[in-house]
Amino acid sequence: MVALSDKKTVGRSKIHPLKFLLIISCASIMMLFAGLTSAYIVRRAGGNWLEFRLPNLFFINTVVILMSSVALQAAYHYFKIGKEKLYKGLLFSAFILGLLFIILQYQGWLDMHAIGVELTGNPAGSFVYVISGVHVAHILAGLAALTVALVQAFSLKYTVTPRRKLRFELTLIYWHFVGFLWLYLLTFFVIQS
Amino acid sequence: MGSTPVVAPEKTREDVLIEEQGFDDHFHDHHHGDKFQSNFITKYVFSMDHKIIAKQFLITGMFWALIGAGMSIVFRLQLGFPEENFAWLRPLLGNWIMVDAEGIGTLDPQFYYALVTMHGTILVFFVLTAGLSGTFSNLLIPLQLGARDMASPLLNMLSYWFFFLSGSIMFASLFLSTGPFSGGWTAYPPLSALPQASTGSGAGMTMWTVSLVFFVVSVLLGGINYITTVLNLRTKGMTMWRMPLTIWAFFVTAIIGLLSFPVLASGFFLMMCDRGLGTSFYLSEIFVGGEALDYVGGSPILYQHLFWFLGHPEVYIIILPAMGLVSEVLSVHARKPIFGYKAMVFSILAIAFLSFIVWAHHMFMSGVNPWISNFFVLFTLIIAVPSAVKVFNWITTVYRGNLRFNSASLFAVGFVSMFISGGLTGLFLGNSAIDIQLHDTYFVVAHFHIVMGIAAFFGMFAGIYNWFPKMYGRFMNETLGKIHFWGTLIGAYAIFWPMHYLGLAGVPRRYYRFDTFDAFSHFGAMNKFITVAAVVVFALQVLFVINFFYSIWKGKKVTTRNPWGATTLEWTTPINPGHGNWPGKIPTVTRWAYDYGKDGKEFVSQVEPLAEGELTDGEGAHH
Ligand code: HEM
Ligand SMILES: [Cu+2]
């Protein structure tokens, strides 16, 4: 990337431009889900709505994704203070937990299918499938970022440069964000039913 | 610098000031900025330089404008001359012109709808969003803020190429044997959600959706960059309140886009699920050919909400950049500070806020609860207030100024005229009771073409004529520019003024022909008149395009840095600025952008330090 933005801008900005850029991208992703969830509300108000219990796995999974967030935060901490082993181990655990989240979400969909809530049936079910599906797509993007972080962690010599720190922080922000997003979605579904 | 060193032809007072007081960011000590554009491909094709990207957006936008406007000529020919033989269009349109046994050619009605749909989609998204905001945000944000480039040149480049990809897909869909999508630019279900609904609803609609999803990606990549650049990369001294109104407009536009386009994307996702996976978000109890489909419990109104939640902010995404350009051009050429700078900023913010809570005025006739409609009527009419503030300020800026009549300022004045005319008809439509009669008639067509279509084009033209010297180091031809202006002004009114009468008489929009209806057949002559005017106006735009390309290579050369005598930073760069914009330090700023006619000086550049005891930022300026 052309490193124009790596340069000190006029010394005023407290937050790195790329970090800022990521944060507003998250705001825009948030709007995507705001659109989907408000569509849910509008459609639900229209009646002919199937009520059903969310799969238990969705709740367990919330713990999984939050643990993954915590692991990554800790990895970042140890990355900064020079505990290489802990940093790599925790980074790896964050990745595995993220992967586990996706697998369990899929299992959750199967559970919905098992109680007769189909993707193509009443929109009440379709909404849950589609919204959680779009969310998983965002988790996948996060896993891609974590993969890059892992490859770098294990292939590059361990040093703490501003560039690597920044890259780590960007990954961290996004990963926290998609974790939080799931918390929001789950809360939304629970409040609505 | 890279392969083309930038030599300053003259040393201006601004150069000296920048050298003495500018900010040294050591940009030219490092060469990593340039290895990315050392050859033709990286310099002109996959460029990361915001100035090149601006030109890419502009020229791609012009390409689409010609296609989109050309389509309108074809369907206007159909409306003006429904009995005419169109066999001569066969070489261009192929089988879409149906030729009967006697050799008489008629436009396929299905293709008429495809043309109308593509015209709307292309003009709204590719021309007036990407072509306008993409061009000028890219060109001016770094230049006017004193930045080397955007916060992320890479994302900026991707923004253009996603737009290009989106356009390529839409373009390819024109050549489908079943034709492109034909359900209107708003793509309401069921025509859009049901692949078998009409010929264009199949592959045409699939490509339309995919194209627009890439378009949303492009807008978002551009938008996050614009916002970050404005908030983080302003040069020293460039406080928010010293930014030119252009930047305020682009900045707020980007925020609106960032908040509304994702919602459109969510609407499209649900649409794709209905089309591809068999869900029933928008479809319900539908019979096709006497056979019941599987869909249960969907709501087409749901789509309308999601669409117009973007759709209305979208019209301001189109008009705000034009407003910003017009404010700047009027102030520069009237040689007066913009009247009510802060009021201008606050009205931009007010319009942006209100634009999110009025979307249902497009749905008064869609079965929305009339009681809820009242709120939307109220908020819709309130938008007239900040709009009127802006109009008042533009007029006051020009009033008693020494307006230089050139192509740029003429188009800016023309913008104000169009915005007033079209805004007034908005007040009619905003009343839900009146809208019962006027909805989906030519009155609506007239309203939004004048207030959005023509006005935004005028803002864009004002911008192009004004900043062409900065983009290409040459001027556009003024005589052709003036012919372009007067012809287009008169022609545009000739096209759209009569449409108000058609609409009041109840003539519906999106009909293939009117001569077969007793109620409307007597408007034949009026429709002919409109078509002839449209052909003339189209020809004038071709003239503009010729002027544009001719001037790139053969136009009069710019010989001084600051041909218009403007205060803003882009005119302190070399005539042909290289990568990084300023050859040495970047300028620092001590005053706002509108010191025109101050203390006996015609203009005072933003880099000029304050004199002792001088008031700044418009304080004590003689309004
Ligand atoms: C005082 C300001 C305005 C008011 C009160 C207003 C009101 C309205 C209303 C109520 C409609 C719906 C008419 C119908 O479909 O029955 C409408 C349509 C439209 N307006 Fe405005 N408007 C205003 C300004 C603008 C501006 C500034 C733009 C664009 C820059 C704009 C663009 C449009 C477009 C594109 C449509 C039609 C979309 C379609 O159905 O295809 N309007 N306007
Ligand atoms: Cu609207």
Side-chain angles (χ1 to χ4, degrees):
Chain A
M1 173 180 294
V2 178
L4 280 166
S5 48
D6 282 358
K7 265 181 211 319
K8 266 220 287 317
T9 60
V10 194
R12 266 177 313 99
S13 49
K14 286 156 217 83
I15 177 166
H16 192 282
L18 287 185
K19 232 190 263 176
F20 188 80
L21 210 132
L22 179 64
I23 290 170
I24 43 185
S25 314
C26 291
S28 134
I29 295 174
M30 197 62 224
M31 282 308 291
L32 176 73
F33 285 92
L36 289 169
T37 45
S38 52
Y40 181 104
I41 296 174
V42 170
R43 175 59 195 82
R44 186 171 189 272
N48 182 13
W49 190 256
L50 178 76
E51 300 288 353
F52 64 94
R53 250 180 69 92
L54 290 174
N56 285 334
L57 271 177
F58 276 13
F59 296 92
I60 297 169
N61 232 350
T62 313
V63 180
V64 172
I65 199 69
L66 290 182
M67 272 165 57
S68 175
S69 252
V70 171
L72 196 64
Q73 184 72 43
Y76 173 65
H77 175 72
Y78 290 118
F79 166 74
K80 277 195 307 190
I81 62 169
K83 297 258 169 78
E84 191 182 349
K85 282 242 164 58
L86 274 170
Y87 145 61
K88 287 183 180 171
L90 283 163
L91 182 60
F92 189 67
S93 336
F95 178 82
I96 293 298
L97 285 167
L99 210 58
L100 182 65
F101 176 83
I102 295 188
I103 297 168
L104 291 182
Q105 285 299 82
Y106 180 73
Q107 198 59 46
W109 294 332
L110 291 184
D111 289 354
M112 278 169 61
H113 174 76
I115 57 168
V117 179
E118 302 289 351
L119 172 65
T120 55
N122 188 287
S126 316
F127 266 114
V128 175
Y129 280 107
V130 168
I131 293 177
S132 57
V134 176
H135 175 256
V136 161
H138 286 82
I139 292 280
L140 276 174
L143 279 184
L146 282 179
T147 310
V148 174
L150 272 177
V151 169
Q152 292 196 336
F154 286 97
S155 65
L156 300 180
K157 204 174 100 47
Y158 171 79
T159 49
V160 184
T161 63
R163 225 186 145 73
R164 284 182 75 178
K165 202 166 142 246
L166 173 68
R167 208 174 284 153
F168 204 140
E169 285 168 0
L170 293 176
T171 312
L172 190 62
I173 293 173
Y174 183 75
W175 195 243
H176 284 335
F177 169 70
V178 285
F180 159 79
L181 198 55
W182 174 248
L183 203 61
Y184 159 71
L185 292 175
L186 189 75
T187 317
F188 174 84
F189 287 139
V190 170
I191 291 175
Q192 285 294 318
S193 58
Chain B
M1 292 305 296
S3 48
T4 48
V6 178
V7 203
E10 82 213 276
K11 201 154 192 159
T12 61
R13 173 161 174 76
E14 284 77 25
D15 284 337
V16 177
L17 286 170
I18 294 174
E19 228 163 78
E20 283 172 3
Q21 311 173 8
F23 178 80
D24 192 358
D25 60 348
H26 303 286
F27 178 70
H28 296 286
D29 303 353
H30 308 267
H31 285 271
H32 53 211
D34 293 282
K35 69 173 183 250
F36 290 94
Q37 46 171 311
S38 44
N39 62 35
F40 182 82
I41 300 277
T42 47
K43 186 153 185 208
Y44 294 110
V45 185
F46 294 107
S47 171
M48 297 200 206
D49 184 336
H50 70 103
K51 299 183 292 296
I52 303 282
I53 296 174
K55 293 177 193 174
Q56 291 175 325
F57 269 109
L58 178 57
I59 291 175
T60 315
M62 283 167 65
F63 166 81
W64 278 114
L66 283 177
I67 300 216
M71 289 174 165
S72 74
I73 295 302
V74 176
F75 64 70
R76 267 320 313 179
L77 284 175
Q78 161 66 26
L79 291 173
F81 305 93
E83 294 296 338
E84 206 57 34
N85 176 4
F86 290 126
W88 57 275
L89 275 171
R90 240 184 111 82
L92 184 64
L93 299 180
N95 287 337
W96 299 116
I97 301 290
M98 307 177 299
V99 179
D100 65 11
E102 283 113 69
I104 306 289
T106 39
L107 186 69
D108 184 334
Q110 186 55 44
F111 193 58
Y112 173 88
Y113 290 115
L115 285 174
V116 178
T117 304
M118 285 296 122
H119 167 78
T121 309
I122 288 169
L123 266 297
V124 166
F125 293 112
F126 294 171
V127 182
L128 295 179
T129 304
L132 177 54
S133 176
T135 302
F136 287 103
S137 300
N138 267 302
L139 181 71
L140 295 178
I141 290 179
L143 278 174
Q144 290 192 327
L145 291 181
R148 297 287 184 193
D149 204 315
M150 289 287 180
S152 169
L154 175 72
L155 292 189
N156 210 25
M157 174 184 86
L158 287 178
S159 161
Y160 173 75
W161 287 102
F162 268 106
F163 168 45
F164 188 86
L165 178 64
S166 156
S168 307
I169 295 170
M170 194 66 80
F171 193 72
S173 84
L174 301 178
F175 299 96
L176 290 169
S177 64
T178 44
F181 179 53
S182 53
W185 79 278
T186 51
Y188 280 4
L191 284 182
S192 54
L194 209 57
Q196 62 269 46
S198 78
T199 49
S201 304
M205 178 58 190
T206 303
M207 291 176 80
W208 188 94
T209 327
V210 173
S211 164
L212 282 193
V213 167
F214 284 126
F215 187 80
V216 172
V217 173
S218 159
V219 171
L220 296 179
L221 288 176
I224 56 176
N225 230 332
Y226 305 155
I227 297 174
T228 309
T229 309
V230 170
L231 289 180
N232 288 287
L233 298 186
R234 300 191 311 279
T235 189
K236 214 165 137 192
M238 181 63 83
T239 60
M240 295 293 273
W241 289 114
R242 286 182 182 156
M243 298 195 309
L245 287 172
T246 35
I247 306 298
W248 271 109
F250 302 146
F251 174 58
V252 176
T253 301
I255 296 177
I256 304 180
L258 212 69
L259 295 177
S260 61
F261 267 103
V263 178
L264 179 72
S266 72
F268 285 162
F269 275 132
L270 299 183
M271 171 93 76
M272 286 170 162
C273 291
D274 275 8
R275 291 171 62 83
L277 303 178
T279 54
S280 308
F281 291 113
Y282 304 140
L283 294 167
S284 171
E285 289 84 37
I286 288 188
F287 290 80
V288 170
E291 208 179 310
L293 303 181
D294 289 338
Y295 300 102
V296 283
S299 156
I301 306 290
L302 182 59
Y303 173 83
Q304 297 190 15
H305 280 296
L306 290 172
F307 182 86
W308 286 115
F309 186 83
L310 160 96
H312 187 83
E314 166 67 12
V315 307
Y316 286 96
I317 288 172
I318 288 175
I319 208 70
L320 284 179
M323 288 176 164
L325 295 169
V326 163
S327 304
E328 183 67 16
V329 168
L330 281 181
S331 176
V332 170
H333 292 289
R335 316 306 289 149
K336 277 177 66 186
I338 190 81
F339 185 85
Y341 171 80
K342 287 202 174 170
M344 288 304 234
V345 174
F346 284 122
S347 53
I348 290 178
L349 295 172
I351 289 176
F353 172 72
L354 288 169
S355 76
F356 281 100
I357 49 174
V358 298
W359 76 90
H361 66 211
H362 296 275
M363 300 164 60
F364 289 147
M365 293 294 283
S366 302
V368 183
N369 183 331
W371 185 77
I372 292 179
S373 284
N374 286 338
F375 290 96
F376 286 99
V377 170
L378 183 68
F379 292 131
T380 299
L381 297 184
I382 290 177
I383 292 202
V385 177
S387 308
V389 168
K390 296 197 78 84
V391 168
F392 177 81
N393 288 355
W394 287 318
I395 294 176
T396 316
T397 301
V398 177
Y399 180 68
R400 292 217 172 148
N402 267 322
L403 189 64
R404 298 194 285 229
F405 282 99
N406 51 31
S407 314
S409 67
L410 284 173
F411 271 110
V413 173
F415 169 93
V416 179
S417 162
M418 290 293 165
F419 189 71
I420 295 174
S421 310
L424 286 176
T425 52
L427 295 178
F428 289 72
L429 296 169
N431 287 283
S432 53
I434 303 178
D435 193 52
I436 294 172
Q437 161 75 5
L438 295 177
H439 178 65
D440 262 351
T441 68
Y442 268 81
F443 193 90
V444 177
V445 176
H447 158 69
F448 72 77
H449 276 89
I450 289 184
V451 76
M452 176 175 77
I454 305 298
F457 260 110
F458 274 28
M460 192 168 168
F461 287 138
I464 293 174
Y465 284 107
N466 193 69
W467 278 282
F468 193 87
K470 190 72 258 163
M471 284 196 249
Y472 295 102
R474 291 170 188 270
F475 292 98
M476 287 183 71
N477 182 300
E478 266 300 307
T479 315
L480 291 181
K482 283 187 183 131
I483 297 173
H484 176 216
F485 169 72
W486 289 110
T488 309
L489 180 82
I490 298 167
Y493 273 124
I495 297 171
F496 295 112
W497 201 269
M499 286 189 189
H500 293 101
Y501 299 102
L502 297 179
L504 288 170
V507 179
R509 66 195 279 205
R510 294 179 174 148
Y511 272 37
Y512 169 70
R513 62 192 300 170
F514 295 108
D515 54 338
T516 41
F517 294 88
D518 282 344
F520 310 131
S521 54
H522 60 285
F523 290 121
M526 200 181 259
N527 269 322
K528 274 195 188 53
F529 173 80
I530 293 174
T531 298
V532 172
V535 172
V536 173
V537 168
F538 181 71
L540 285 163
Q541 308 320 304
V542 175
L543 184 73
F544 163 78
V545 173
I546 293 171
N547 186 359
F548 182 89
F549 284 103
Y550 179 83
S551 304
I552 290 183
W553 287 285
K554 293 280 158 63
K556 190 166 99 232
K557 277 207 167 130
V558 177
T559 51
T560 56
R561 295 277 180 94
N562 190 356
W564 308 128
T567 60
T568 40
L569 296 181
E570 74 273 31
W571 305 105
T572 64
T573 61
I575 292 178
N576 290 302
H579 185 62
N581 297 338
W582 286 268
K585 299 178 180 176
I586 48 176
T588 57
V589 166
T590 53
R591 56 178 76 236
W592 75 333
Y594 295 100
D595 273 340
Y596 290 100
K598 194 183 188 199
D599 303 332
K601 291 194 214 88
E602 201 190 339
F603 70 98
V604 188
S605 167
Q606 280 192 282
V607 298
E608 184 77 39
L610 292 181
E612 221 170 84
E614 187 185 357
L615 293 172
T616 179
D617 299 355
E619 296 158 18
H622 14 249
H623 294 157

